[in-house]
Amino acid sequence: MRRKLLLGNWKMNKLASEAREFAINARPLAELAKKHQIDLGVAPTYLSLAATKEAASKDMIVAAQNCHFKESGAYTGEVSIPMLKEFGIDWVIIGHSERRAYDNETNLKCHDKMAALFANNMVPVYCVGETLQEFEEGRTKEVVGTQIREGLAGFTSEDVKHLVVAYEPVWSIGTGKNASSEIAQDICKFVRDVMREMLGDVADEIRVLYGGSVKPVNVKEYLSCPDVDGALVGGASLKIDSYTELLNNIL
Ligand code: 13P
């Protein structure tokens, strides 16, 4: 049984003081989610991780939005996995399309980061998805298939047992232009099929999320799809009211 997962990606939003206030207000939600077998979390900026983690319910997942694959060294501006672990952070978003677009995050880089996370018993949320042009050219499965095959190349079924994958079509992120639930189901199932080919039956235990303009009004429809195990939510996760509604609408 794959537990449902609702994860807010705050991107470059919220001061640490605002993140902390949100975490305090979200304490009862984390408990409510747990009662309903749903995992609930947020991914603040690096600078807000400590404040969020400290203020949040212990049942709330607090994820980083990125990490470096090396433990330490001459990598100006980067943050390593041991640095995250020191603050009790063990979930990390990897390969978000904004990082792929603006920071040259390649499938290979994502692979190295996930290898380091698996070695540290941490949970990557590996993001995949096609651009508008690739979608219009009918290349979604080719692009997403390559992202999965290259990103997860060489891992064992033991490595990936805590992996989470998020399918986020780039054209639906922050645009209000939703992928239909049929598209979300089709591509999330495709992701699982590719993982089954590569890794065997463990693919049925790996959670696959949908992300891209998920709102309180459509979250239930996505989560009703058999291969969509949750949502990675940007804009609608920023305000406690709409975050609360997202959860309430899938209970
Ligand atoms: P929006 O929900 O704002 O479209 O963002 C989706 C996203 O990129 C989550 O990682």
Side-chain angles (χ1 to χ4, degrees), residues 9 11 96 98 168 172-175 211-215 232-236:
N9 174 10
K11 310 189 179 185
H96 191 277
E98 287 146 17
E168 299 202 304
S172 77
I173 294 178
T175 58
S213 297
V214 174
K215 307 287 174 208
L232 184 57
V233 186

Side-chain angles (χ1 to χ4, degrees), residues 107-146:
N107 294 334
L108 190 61
K109 247 198 219 174
C110 293
H111 175 275
D112 290 349
K113 291 178 181 195
M114 286 192 278
L117 289 169
F118 292 142
N120 280 280
N121 273 320
M122 297 190 30
V123 181
V125 179
Y126 179 44
C127 300
V128 297
E130 80 288 5
T131 63
L132 180 61
Q133 188 181 345
E134 290 160 345
F135 173 72
E136 284 173 350
E137 291 170 0
R139 296 176 50 218
T140 300
K141 289 187 178 171
E142 174 200 328
V143 170
V144 171
T146 302

